[in-house]
Amino acid sequence: MSKAWSEEELKKVSDGLEGKDPVEAVRWSVDNFSREEISLACSFGAEDVALVDMLVKINPKARIFYLDTDLLFKESIEVKDRLIERYGISPERYGAKTTLEEMAKEFGEGLWKKEPDRCCNIRKMLPLAEALSGLRCWITGIRRDQAPNRANAPVVSWDAKFKLVKVNPLVRWTSEDVWNYIKKNNVPYNVLHDRNFPSIGCEPCTKPVMPGEDPRAGRWAGFQKTECGLHK
């Protein structure tokens, strides 16, 4: 078991990693938590595939998990398969206990069109809680310039919502930094990024983003919603 980290200690770690290459934050995570205690949350977007590449180069047997809402784009599943082939990883799948048919029977067809927060809770938040149970640390691909509520995200902190350490290696990177890494390291990525999808979620709730629009404008279009709740 890894040591218990106080919030003050985590802040010192975060401050020490601020400004350093993201791989250093990944390395700190691997060095301070056992394989059973830590996992990378992967949505198969650009940031997450870059982190997969960093992580497996440090620990080829590192744990990686994803949330399967049963509404993912086929292109997201395809990049998962390409990552498995390239790196020999075994991503752990977590999905809703409620099927789409059962959800439709209880709430009506297309819950995401009427109550996207409820849909996200059923198909993302509850599976995430299951994925994180038993872990002491998770790695995510959030960046500060993605959304206002992420602007002050630390590299390392205590995640009070899920009661574990949260590591965000890419917080200081821009989208350009991410893509430079992907191209330099020939990392498999979701082809939807080439079709004006900078942020990719579930198929019915994700639209292309036009030049000049906010990168997350294609998520839950028509609703005052830009987050599913994973990183609040």
Side-chain angles (χ1 to χ4, degrees):
M1 293 287 287
S2 63
K3 65 168 284 187
W5 293 86
S6 70
E7 292 191 45
E8 182 179 354
E9 288 175 322
L10 292 175
K11 186 180 186 306
K12 289 181 180 179
V13 170
S14 185
D15 290 344
L17 290 169
E18 187 71 35
K20 292 186 177 180
D21 191 292
V23 73
E24 295 303 318
V26 177
R27 191 180 304 280
W28 177 86
S29 307
V30 172
D31 287 346
N32 286 280
F33 295 90
S34 69
R35 182 184 180 278
E36 291 71 29
E37 296 175 325
I38 185 172
S39 189
L40 165 66
C42 185
S43 65
F44 308 114
E47 290 79 11
D48 293 342
V49 298
L51 284 172
V52 168
D53 184 84
M54 294 180 195
L55 182 60
V56 298
K57 286 177 177 175
I58 296 172
N59 181 5
K61 296 184 178 180
R63 292 177 65 185
I64 298 166
F65 76 86
Y66 69 102
L67 305 179
D68 189 349
T69 62
D70 300 310
L71 293 165
L72 300 180
F73 284 92
K74 65 179 180 61
E75 289 85 354
S76 297
I77 301 301
E78 287 169 359
V79 75
K80 172 181 69 73
D81 294 338
R82 289 163 57 211
L83 290 168
I84 291 172
E85 181 178 0
R86 168 74 179 276
Y87 299 107
I89 59 175
S90 301
E92 300 168 25
R93 177 191 180 277
Y94 289 87
K97 304 302 182 185
T98 304
T99 67
L100 291 174
E101 292 75 16
E102 290 169 341
M103 191 172 76
K105 185 176 181 179
E106 183 174 359
F107 301 106
E109 292 290 339
L111 180 60
W112 50 87
K113 298 177 183 178
K114 302 173 292 185
E115 297 182 79
D117 285 338
R118 185 190 293 271
C119 187
C120 283
N121 184 63
I122 294 171
R123 314 213 73 78
K124 285 188 176 182
M125 296 306 298
L126 294 177
L128 176 65
E130 180 185 2
L132 297 182
S133 65
L135 295 181
R136 301 191 68 193
C137 178
W138 67 314
I139 304 173
T140 87
I142 66 172
R143 296 186 291 105
R144 289 173 181 155
D145 67 358
Q146 288 174 321
N149 68 310
R150 299 181 181 184
N152 298 311
V155 182
V156 178
S157 65
W158 176 252
D159 188 330
K161 182 172 185 175
F162 294 108
K163 311 299 182 186
L164 75 172
V165 176
K166 185 177 185 180
V167 181
N168 308 307
L170 305 182
V171 284
R172 294 183 69 253
W173 269 15
T174 64
S175 178
E176 183 179 6
D177 292 327
V178 174
W179 283 104
N180 285 340
Y181 184 93
I182 288 173
K183 293 172 183 177
K184 180 180 179 180
N185 293 276
N186 194 29
V187 180
Y189 67 88
N190 196 320
V191 296
L192 288 175
H193 289 308
D194 296 330
R195 305 173 192 166
N196 297 318
F197 286 83
S199 178
I200 304 168
C202 295
E203 186 169 7
C205 300
T206 310
K207 307 298 180 187
V209 174
M210 295 300 102
E213 288 186 309
D214 185 281
R216 294 185 69 82
R219 304 292 297 275
W220 302 284
F223 291 93
Q224 295 296 315
K225 177 179 172 66
T226 58
E227 295 278 357
C228 56
L230 273 63
H231 300 293
K232 286 187 178 179

